[in-house]
Amino acid sequence: MVLKAEIHCHLEGAASPALVESQARKYNVDVSNIISNGVFVWNDFTQFLKCYDGAADLFRSADDYALLSETYLNELADDDCIYSELFISTDHARAIGISEQDYIDGIAEGMRRAKEKTGIEARMIATGLRHGGPESVLRAAKYVAGNPHPLITGFGMGGDERMHHPKDLAPGFDVARDAGLGITTHAGELVGPQSVRDSLDYIKPSRIGHGVRAIEDPDLVKRLADEQIVLECCPGSNISLKVYDEFEDHPFMALRAAGISVTLNSDDPPHFHTSLKREYEIGANEFGLSDVELTQITRTAIKAAFVDEETRKQLLAKLD
Ligand SMILES: Nc1ncnc2[nH]cnc12
Ligand SMILES: [Zn+2]
């Protein structure tokens, strides 16, 4: 049995079609535009984001969010996951008209219940939405910096990487860093190496979400290895979004061979027909990783986690 850890998963993107359909019944909403035959439907990244927002729109109270985080974390724990970092977005709270505080308290309550039941440790990474622009990222950062929560330990950014330059988005990350939060950002998923380089220069993260397209530039690969930047790789997501056609084209093993710290993650599991368990299976079956090597990947994730040192020590001890 390989113990697992996940440091890149979007909470709203982890809601299963069954859970979204049950929420749709609760709020009497038609979801046939985003779910067909029990599967999320979208064709490209832009449509995926719309589908994601449609699912997120059905979580409308602290109780709904507690149910969502508890359900996902219990599933993870069943698959031998001991640690999970979930991307959250206070923009979603604003979109559904609940307070940021209710949104965060609901998620924290779900985390508490899952931990009580399974022992799984979890933290939140607040995110700004890139396509919302610099002001919206700054607003999200200011909220979490001004309202510290013990389970919010990082700040990141998702959304459309094709929009806005990291230089313009950096002020929000400066606020979050000054508040003591760990920093990560999506880059090198939809856009090539320049996006990763600009993110390193201006956003100064210790981790990059995806980052896989760095492989297109050998100097950047060396920089990522030298600076010990950890990549939150999500191979199933990359295949689903057609960043790569086949797993044999995926650069996971090449990045790893170049000395970069890589991890395995599910991103938005039901949208990409995956789970953390399946990502580890991809590691074994497509990339040829042994159980010892997969456990090393879990260790890398925990070493890179945005968590206090005592918790990190306890988690690492479980792997020995
Ligand atoms: N794969 C992804 N890339 C960028 N933003 C996202 N938000 C949710 N999933 C995402
Ligand atoms: Zn992501």
Side-chain angles (χ1 to χ4, degrees):
M1 187 246 300
V2 174
L3 293 178
K4 307 174 182 74
E6 173 154 78
I7 57 173
H8 187 123
C9 178
H10 302 258
L11 176 61
E12 286 85 357
S16 69
L19 181 56
V20 171
E21 283 178 327
S22 132
Q23 292 292 112
R25 283 191 294 278
K26 174 173 174 181
Y27 292 114
N28 200 17
V29 173
D30 177 10
V31 285
S32 60
N33 59 329
I34 59 166
I35 299 175
S36 175
N37 296 322
V39 176
F40 287 120
V41 279
W42 50 266
N43 278 316
D44 57 20
F45 187 76
T46 306
Q47 276 184 24
F48 154 68
L49 283 184
K50 286 216 173 85
C51 183
Y52 178 103
D53 284 340
D57 176 55
L58 292 160
F59 294 87
R60 299 183 173 181
S61 67
D63 284 348
D64 291 349
Y65 269 98
L67 175 68
L68 173 55
S69 62
E70 181 189 5
T71 305
Y72 181 62
L73 291 170
N74 283 343
E75 280 168 23
L76 274 184
D78 278 349
D79 289 339
D80 307 316
C81 177
I82 57 172
Y83 180 73
S84 160
E85 276 173 16
L86 292 169
F87 290 127
I88 65 158
S89 163
T90 47
D91 287 285
H92 283 297
R94 293 168 62 89
I96 53 170
I98 64 171
S99 69
E100 287 95 338
Q101 195 63 55
D102 277 355
Y103 172 79
I104 290 161
D105 286 348
I107 297 166
E109 171 59 18
M111 289 178 161
R112 188 196 64 72
R113 286 186 213 149
K115 182 171 177 179
E116 189 176 79
K117 181 163 178 240
T118 70
I120 191 167
E121 198 66 61
R123 298 290 185 274
M124 296 176 232
I125 301 179
T127 58
L129 264 183
R130 186 162 182 157
H131 48 273
E135 282 305 315
S136 115
V137 174
L138 183 60
R139 185 180 58 219
K142 279 185 176 165
Y143 180 81
V144 284
N147 299 272
H149 188 288
L151 295 182
I152 302 182
T153 53
F155 187 75
M157 179 172 66
D160 197 329
E161 189 189 352
R162 297 165 294 194
M163 296 172 73
H164 301 286
H165 194 280
K167 191 196 303 189
D168 301 323
L169 297 158
F173 288 89
D174 293 341
V175 167
R177 190 182 307 99
D178 288 349
L181 297 169
I183 300 293
T184 178
T185 185
H186 284 63
E189 177 193 22
L190 305 177
V191 183
Q194 190 61 41
S195 167
V196 176
R197 211 177 291 110
D198 289 340
S199 298
L200 292 176
D201 288 344
Y202 293 103
I203 290 176
K204 305 186 193 81
S206 61
R207 307 185 338 212
I208 296 256
H210 300 282
V212 283
R213 292 196 52 196
I215 198 70
E216 295 163 32
D217 179 342
D219 288 343
L220 179 59
V221 168
K222 184 170 182 316
R223 178 173 175 190
L224 289 169
D226 288 350
E227 295 183 12
Q228 297 176 15
I229 304 294
V230 174
L231 297 189
E232 305 156 5
C233 295
C234 314
S237 159
N238 296 151
I239 298 300
S240 197
L241 282 167
K242 300 191 173 59
V243 178
Y244 300 102
D245 289 337
E246 311 275 352
F247 285 115
E248 63 183 34
D249 304 325
H250 196 282
F252 184 87
M253 292 304 279
L255 293 162
R256 180 174 176 272
I260 298 175
S261 298
V262 286
T263 61
L264 285 167
N265 305 277
S266 70
D267 208 4
D268 303 282
H271 292 269
F272 304 141
H273 312 291
T274 196
S275 61
L276 186 62
K277 179 168 179 257
R278 176 166 178 258
E279 296 301 317
Y280 273 66
E281 284 165 3
I282 291 167
N285 302 332
E286 304 288 343
F287 303 150
L289 294 167
S290 67
D291 284 1
V292 170
E293 289 168 324
L294 288 169
T295 304
Q296 184 53 39
I297 284 172
T298 304
R299 197 172 280 113
T300 300
I302 291 172
K303 283 186 178 164
F306 299 146
V307 77
D308 60 278
E309 293 313 315
E310 182 53 35
T311 307
R312 193 189 321 279
K313 211 169 90 190
Q314 287 170 11
L315 290 165
L316 287 172
K318 293 188 185 187
L319 302 181
D320 295 332

